[in-house]
Amino acid sequence: MDLRSEFPYWSIRNGLLHAYPSLQQSVRTDVAVIGAGITGALISYRLMEAGLSVVVTDRRHVGMGSTSASTALLQYEIDTHLTQLAEWYGLPAAREAYSLCLEAIDRVHDLCREVGVGQDFRYAPSLYYATFRKDLPDLYREYQARRAAGIGVEWIDEALFRRLYPFSAPGAILSEKAAEVDPYRLAHALLERVAAAGNGVHNQTEIVRVTEKRGGVELETGDGHRITAGYLVVAAGYESERWLGKQPGRLHSSYALVSEPTGRQELWKDNCLMWETARPYLYFRTTTDGRVIAGGRDDTFQSPGKRDRRVFAKSRQLEADVRKRFPELPFRTDFCWAGTFAETEDGLPFIGRHPGHPRTWFSMGFGGNGITFSSVAADSIAQEIAGVKKTVPAIFSFHRKRK
Ligand SMILES: Cc1cc2nc3c(=O)[nH]c(=O)nc-3n(C[C@H](O)[C@H](O)[C@H](O)COP(=O)(O)OP(=O)(O)OC[C@H]3O[C@@H](n4cnc5c(N)ncnc54)[C@H](O)[C@@H]3O)c2cc1C
């Protein structure tokens, strides 16, 4: 699958940070990980911390899949409201989903500092505004549900919104905790540590066959080498379908742009992350060097050719979206790109073992919170494989059932 158009921002900004050799011999390890994007990197790092040996393989280079195309807003706010999840799965499970995502933001912060990319992580509040007046009652109910769950939120009414922000909206939830990150640099920094500890990290190594056996798994690479492991973690992003036998989400196309540096430190109040109640939604964030990132304008098809032909037209629409909301901001597009994007019916990821694959864990963080979900997955999968405890939350598992 062609996961993204050319010139996604993070790989242009950072270049090829580190190249790893392809796997040219057969090896044994405790855990094999398919995929060296942000998910595979987080999981491998946590497995290493748990004292397990790891071999990570990627058919591309580290971070060159969806990770390089991500706009990387880190939010606890799942695309599906807490109120809706509570109706489907019960209030305790819905609150657990939200609070795990909230904790994940701090976990990623701590990791960024630990592996030396703290300067690319920035905490920022998140503003979730009503696109239409008709969305207001639901949004207010959502605000109340989050407050009752102990989440740090404030209600911004129409008059206050107008005073604080450069455009108007009928109301909004302002959340204290959200963040921005450079996911490509983080993936590289994590895997550099994984490799430095003597584990295998291999670019340009496609896994073409997986066989589950009693007591382990055997992976075969495109070059005919074998990886024999106790367990397998599939962190292959939107290409995980091959190992599951079905695609558990719908594939769409999404578009993004980044502006030239605006020369400003504060582009709007607190440089908060912004998104809206419309579906598909528009969203905005800033970067540490004063740029705007805008994204959205999603299409429901997945065809990479059709998607990439639309990048410039979509970029003009996104530019108009930015100018309409931030008319005072000096704004010129620097780069624009497109990526495949997947979402599940309920907006939740699939994390854990599938009944048909007892020695294989999946981390499929589909939805707008892909990176937050990957962090939750990394913590829980590593603990389960290390035998510490069963921690994959039921609401993120393949077994979850609506009421
Ligand atoms: C435009 C856009 C904007 C986004 N914005 C956000 C956002 O603001 N916040 C957020 O949290 N998420 C966002 N996402 C989603 C987020 O980018 C993804 O959830 C995340 O990048 C997934 O990381 P990953 O490591 O699972 O996948 P990937 O980065 O795609 O990594 C998977 C890797 O697996 C490898 N692979 C696949 N099959 C094989 C095989 N057979 N053998 C070997 N290797 C294989 C691939 O080459 C790939 O490198 C966005 C996505 C897009 C496209």
Side-chain angles (χ1 to χ4, degrees):
M1 188 190 300
D2 188 354
L3 292 168
R4 52 162 178 83
S5 62
E6 284 183 291
F7 313 124
Y9 178 54
W10 303 114
S11 50
I12 291 174
R13 177 183 183 231
N14 296 298
L16 192 60
L17 286 168
H18 196 100
Y20 295 93
S22 58
L23 183 67
Q24 289 305 332
Q25 60 184 5
S26 293
V27 290
R28 282 181 183 276
T29 183
D30 292 331
V31 189
V33 177
I34 303 180
I38 187 64
T39 309
L42 285 164
I43 290 175
S44 305
Y45 190 84
R46 293 298 186 205
L47 288 165
M48 175 190 78
E49 277 186 330
L52 295 159
S53 63
V54 188
V55 171
V56 194
T57 52
D58 201 299
R59 58 195 283 255
R60 301 181 173 85
H61 279 249
V62 167
M64 287 296 205
S66 307
T67 297
S68 58
S70 180
T71 45
L73 287 76
L74 283 190
Q75 289 170 302
Y76 76 88
E77 303 169 276
I78 297 170
D79 287 353
T80 308
H81 284 177
L82 174 61
T83 48
Q84 179 65 74
L85 290 180
E87 270 175 39
W88 286 341
Y89 299 108
L91 187 59
R95 283 185 172 173
E96 186 188 16
Y98 266 69
S99 80
L100 284 168
C101 291
L102 201 58
E103 284 164 25
I105 297 172
D106 290 332
R107 299 277 294 158
V108 175
H109 166 259
D110 295 349
L111 258 189
C112 285
R113 292 179 63 125
E114 202 171 299
V115 300
V117 293
Q119 74 282 3
D120 297 313
F121 180 101
R122 194 179 70 87
Y123 279 116
S126 168
L127 185 73
Y128 180 39
Y129 63 87
T131 317
F132 308 108
R133 201 162 292 282
K134 70 173 174 52
D135 300 339
L136 215 47
D138 261 3
L139 190 65
Y140 193 74
R141 221 161 55 86
E142 177 65 11
Y143 157 72
Q144 289 175 311
R146 290 190 195 177
R147 251 182 85 98
I151 299 171
V153 284
E154 192 187 324
W155 179 252
I156 308 286
D157 66 18
E158 192 166 8
L160 184 58
F161 197 105
R162 209 173 299 123
R163 277 208 302 282
L164 297 179
Y165 304 103
F167 60 100
S168 51
I173 300 173
L174 182 66
S175 298
E176 275 168 21
K177 189 169 284 179
E180 304 164 341
V181 70
D182 176 339
Y184 180 79
R185 270 174 75 88
L186 177 57
H188 268 279
L190 290 165
L191 288 173
E192 271 176 39
R193 265 114 187 129
V194 169
N199 298 289
V201 180
H202 299 283
N203 290 338
Q204 309 276 37
T205 303
E206 179 165 12
I207 302 302
V208 294
R209 190 168 301 114
V210 173
T211 316
E212 286 213 18
K213 304 192 159 168
R214 260 177 78 114
V217 283
E218 198 167 86
L219 283 67
E220 192 181 322
T221 72
D223 288 343
H225 302 294
R226 286 191 202 305
I227 304 170
T228 308
Y231 302 98
L232 165 66
V233 179
V234 176
Y238 305 140
E239 294 170 312
S240 302
E241 176 190 4
R242 178 171 179 182
W243 311 114
L244 195 58
K246 61 174 183 177
Q247 186 61 268
R250 282 184 307 268
L251 297 179
H252 298 175
S253 297
S254 192
Y255 304 86
L257 63 77
V258 60
S259 73
E260 292 178 3
T262 57
R264 296 192 183 176
Q265 294 276 312
E266 189 175 58
L267 284 73
W268 52 75
K269 185 166 170 34
D270 299 329
N271 288 336
C272 61
L273 279 52
M274 293 189 183
W275 67 304
E276 58 171 348
T277 52
R279 296 290 185 271
Y281 50 82
L282 288 170
Y283 57 90
F284 309 95
R285 59 162 279 194
T286 61
T287 64
T288 43
D289 58 347
R291 300 168 188 261
V292 181
I293 293 181
R297 292 273 170 193
D298 300 5
D299 284 318
T300 48
F301 61 77
Q302 184 254 324
S303 155
K306 198 168 159 190
R307 177 196 71 197
D308 293 355
R309 281 193 296 278
R310 290 191 172 195
V311 169
F312 290 103
K314 290 287 183 175
S315 149
R316 280 192 292 277
Q317 292 175 355
L318 286 170
E319 283 167 10
D321 294 326
V322 176
R323 291 210 169 91
K324 187 172 158 197
R325 285 163 186 78
F326 310 101
E328 302 293 315
L329 206 63
F331 176 85
R332 246 182 97 83
T333 299
D334 211 357
F335 298 101
C336 51
W337 68 96
T340 292
F341 187 75
E343 49 187 24
T344 55
E345 260 180 44
D346 57 11
L348 298 175
F350 286 105
I351 300 172
R353 271 185 295 186
H354 190 271
H357 307 269
R359 300 200 72 90
T360 303
W361 270 260
F362 290 85
S363 173
M364 303 166 91
F366 295 178
N369 293 47
I371 299 172
T372 317
F373 290 149
S374 298
S375 172
V376 174
D379 290 349
S380 32
I381 291 175
Q383 291 202 351
E384 286 209 4
I385 293 182
V388 179
K389 55 180 173 172
K390 267 193 86 59
T391 53
V392 174
I395 190 169
F396 291 165
S397 75
F398 287 96
H399 315 287
R400 65 177 175 261
K401 281 205 173 57
R402 289 191 197 182
K403 277 182 166 180

